[in-house]
Amino acid sequence: MKRVLILGGTQEAYELAERLVDVAGLEIISSLAGRTRAPRLPKGRVRSGGFGGTDGLARYLRDESIAYLINATHPFADQISAHAVAAASMAEVPLLRLLRPVWEPQAEDRWIAARDTAEAAELCRREGGRILLTVGSGELEAFAGIRNAHFVVRMVDVPDIVPLHDYSTIAARGPFSLADEQALLTEQHVNLLVAKNSGGDATYAKIEAARRLGLPVVMIDRPQIALEPRSLVVASVEDAATWLHRSD
Ligand code: NAP
């Protein structure tokens, strides 16, 4: 049995685990950060919670005799991704990054690029009005000082304390349909959308809805994560499964 550790918390990590769990000769362990109240659990072993930094992850790789490490975390999960690169190198475990391609702007999109949440917040301050904010709870703080906007905040788990001046919340987990996203933007009288360039299909409908309604989108760029020269990156669950098959 060869053990595969999938760093997850994404739709594709879930799909990859479900796909590999019945492959003879492989044992799949999915790892979740443990932040979501009711996470969708894939088949196979699931562990939850941080490893304790790079050293902790490297120790886990050795102690659990992990043969392959697949980092299928979210494109904005920069810390665990950096830890994966360093820990895989320390423990001499082959590492694959499964990373969704970025969304590219279409001709009619009205995107305003932001390097990070701080820059996105500055753009919101300039624009004001009613803003659909689709960032994580840990990123709300950047928008705390804004007084000229009402934020419609959508996230999987709404935190007990929302550090915003004027807001309403929607607790929801994707995927979202185009019709629902258009209805949401229209009914909430949204004049600006803030999104992270997550890529993938599950949350793309809001971008298409904004395009159809002619609304601007503050699009937050992905953080840069240094990869080692030997790190391999694939864009699909299919390609990740092929990599594993070929490596075995
Ligand atoms: P992060 O900033 O890169 O990681 C912060 C810490 O959380 C890491 O140092 C690690 O703790 C722990 N951690 C993160 N992912 C883990 C995993 N899959 N298994 C075990 N520990 C993990 O991550 P984040 O952006 O907060 O995201 C946390 C989780 O939510 C990730 O699994 C990610 O795939 C998922 N997610 C993130 C976003 C997003 O926008 N960032 C969106 C959707 C889903 P230790 O240092 O103690 O090991």
Side-chain angles (χ1 to χ4, degrees):
M1 273 296 199
K2 288 200 169 158
R3 284 197 178 143
V4 182
L5 178 64
I6 301 174
L7 301 173
T10 57
Q11 174 65 22
E12 49 273 44
Y14 178 92
E15 286 172 15
L16 183 63
E18 293 268 315
R19 187 189 159 132
L20 297 175
V21 77
D22 293 325
V23 174
L26 294 182
E27 186 188 0
I28 307 304
I29 306 175
S30 294
S31 175
L32 304 176
R35 307 264 175 77
T36 317
R37 282 181 204 137
R40 213 151 69 96
L41 300 177
K43 287 185 199 148
R45 264 174 72 184
V46 178
R47 66 161 303 285
S48 183
F51 296 94
T54 302
D55 291 345
L57 179 54
R59 201 175 316 117
Y60 183 92
L61 295 174
R62 288 198 199 100
D63 290 352
E64 292 286 333
S65 306
I66 302 297
Y68 300 104
L69 176 61
I70 300 181
N71 175 15
T73 59
H74 192 271
F76 280 79
D78 55 350
Q79 287 184 44
I80 188 73
S81 296
H83 296 173
V85 171
S89 169
M90 284 161 73
E92 296 182 7
V93 171
L95 168 68
L96 181 73
R97 175 62 165 132
L98 169 52
L99 187 67
R100 312 166 191 164
V102 289
W103 293 324
E104 300 286 355
Q106 307 293 304
E108 286 164 21
D109 278 327
R110 295 176 57 201
W111 289 10
I112 310 162
R115 270 189 305 259
D116 49 30
T117 44
E119 205 169 286
E122 192 44 48
L123 290 162
C124 288
R125 197 193 311 275
R126 259 184 247 165
E127 199 78 14
R130 291 181 64 85
I131 301 175
L132 178 63
L133 194 53
T134 58
V135 299
S137 55
E139 290 140 338
L140 293 178
E141 194 62 46
F143 302 83
I146 299 175
R147 306 235 152 204
N148 60 334
H150 173 90
F151 289 103
V152 179
V153 184
R154 182 174 68 192
M155 48 186 59
V156 176
D157 291 321
V158 176
D160 295 334
I161 297 169
V162 176
L164 298 175
H165 177 64
D166 181 10
Y167 68 94
S168 50
T169 59
I170 301 171
R173 190 196 300 264
F176 304 101
S177 75
L178 178 59
D180 286 350
E181 295 296 61
Q182 262 187 253
L184 173 70
L185 292 172
T186 308
E187 283 160 17
Q188 292 283 343
H189 305 286
V190 167
N191 57 286
L192 180 70
L193 169 66
V194 179
K196 301 199 286 193
N197 196 330
S198 299
D201 297 334
T203 58
Y204 186 67
K206 65 187 174 208
I207 306 301
E208 205 174 334
R211 181 189 311 139
R212 290 192 181 200
L213 295 169
L215 295 178
V217 177
V218 171
M219 187 62 79
I220 304 172
D221 288 341
R222 292 180 176 185
Q224 293 300 317
I225 297 161
L227 292 171
E228 282 208 327
R230 66 189 190 121
S231 298
L232 285 169
V233 184
V234 294
S236 70
V237 168
E238 190 60 40
D239 288 347
T242 303
W243 173 79
L244 208 49
H245 184 66
R246 291 215 180 116
S247 308
D248 207 19

